[in-house]
Amino acid sequence: DTAVSQTPKYLVTQMGNDKSIKCEQNLGHDTMYWYKQDSKKFLKIMFSYNNKELIINETVPNRFSPKSPDKAHLNLHINSLELGDSAVYFCASSQGLAGGQQFFGPGTRLTVL
Amino acid sequence: DAKTTQPPSMDCAEGRAANLPCNHSTISGNEYVYWYRQIHSQGPQYIIHGLKNNETNEMASLIITEDRKSSTLILPHATLRDTAVYYCIVRVLGYGGSQGNLIFGKGTKLSVKP
């Protein structure tokens, strides 16, 4: 069974569009994260959610918004996509925000044309 | 910014031990050393973590110097599937908010060769 899954695996879209990436974890964790890995391979945290509350919001544009319908899901909505949003986005989960062992999903490669 | 320094790349022969060094000279007393790896096109994978004692699990061993300013991740018998980028991260355990973030640096690209 896949512990952390993401859909879609690949997403190609035009500038200005709005898109969503879904993430689900079946580990029973209460904290989920979104990371962005750019073309230079730097992996940076964007958001984390604990008990349906946004805990961390690093300096990301407000075009990005995480939505958590329940603690097993954390979806990433992106409005007005820009070329610079092209990257691989990883979802992760952990037990508690203070837990250091995070489990990552397989990633979603977003390409904005 | 990452608080660790790692060599950008290393090679290792298949079946031999891979020893990956990490410097963290500014580590605080309550910060743990974590290791993750990222195999090409996959999400990062947790390997091991420790505070000051050496640690071992089914994947690797972690050796932390007595002054805690550096550590070494040891893969005892490297295989081709261990080819990946290895990240050494220092993090406060048990602390939420941004201080508990995993900050990924550039890591070490380990190439295991037959």
Side-chain angles (χ1 to χ4, degrees):
Chain A
D1 288 343
T2 303
V4 182
S5 59
Q6 297 178 224
T7 54
K9 187 169 176 63
Y10 299 97
L11 182 56
V12 181
T13 188
Q14 300 286 331
M15 269 197 311
N17 285 350
D18 302 336
K19 290 293 179 184
S20 296
I21 305 173
K22 295 184 177 181
C23 178
E24 177 181 2
Q25 56 93 5
N26 63 6
L27 297 168
H29 289 163
D30 61 2
T31 304
M32 296 182 72
Y33 311 81
W34 276 105
Y35 288 81
K36 178 182 179 180
Q37 188 166 40
D38 60 25
S39 58
K40 295 183 179 179
K41 303 299 184 183
F42 289 114
L43 190 64
K44 293 187 177 180
I45 189 165
M46 301 176 71
F47 303 103
S48 68
Y49 251 75
N50 179 268
N51 291 326
K52 303 182 75 171
E53 291 186 34
L54 180 64
I55 301 298
I56 301 171
N57 185 348
E58 297 296 315
T59 55
V60 297
N62 57 14
R63 298 181 294 104
F64 290 78
S65 57
K67 298 273 194 302
S68 181
D70 55 64
K71 74 174 188 178
H73 296 83
L74 183 66
N75 304 325
L76 183 64
H77 297 274
I78 315 170
N79 295 325
S80 302
L81 278 156
E82 300 178 356
L83 293 177
D85 298 332
S86 295
V88 181
Y89 292 84
F90 290 99
C91 176
S93 72
S94 69
Q95 185 53 41
L97 188 61
Q101 185 175 352
Q102 296 182 12
F103 293 80
F104 285 78
T108 295
R109 181 175 293 277
L110 171 66
T111 302
V112 182
L113 303 175
Chain B
D1 290 345
K3 296 177 64 175
T4 61
T5 303
Q6 299 176 252
S9 63
M10 290 182 63
D11 289 343
C12 177
E14 188 178 19
R16 305 297 293 266
N19 297 288
L20 292 94
C22 179
N23 287 323
H24 31 78
S25 58
T26 61
I27 192 170
S28 301
N30 62 347
E31 286 181 316
Y32 285 66
V33 180
Y34 282 80
W35 283 84
Y36 279 75
R37 73 179 181 183
Q38 187 173 22
I39 297 171
H40 180 63
S41 297
Q42 297 183 21
Q45 177 189 24
Y46 166 84
I47 301 173
I48 198 168
H49 75 280
L51 182 62
K52 54 183 178 180
N53 296 323
N54 297 338
E55 302 288 343
T56 296
N57 62 20
E58 65 279 4
M59 290 182 68
S61 294
L62 174 60
I63 308 298
I64 302 174
T65 58
E66 192 169 344
D67 63 8
R68 301 208 324 121
K69 293 185 177 182
S70 65
S71 60
T72 301
L73 178 74
I74 301 173
L75 307 178
H77 305 287
T79 70
L80 299 179
R81 288 175 294 181
D82 292 321
T83 292
V85 177
Y86 287 77
Y87 298 97
C88 171
I89 302 166
V90 296
R91 180 185 180 272
V92 178
L93 183 64
Y95 207 107
S98 61
Q99 293 188 40
N101 278 353
L102 288 177
I103 308 296
F104 288 82
K106 297 181 181 180
T108 295
K109 182 172 174 53
L110 175 69
S111 298
V112 181
K113 300 181 182 299

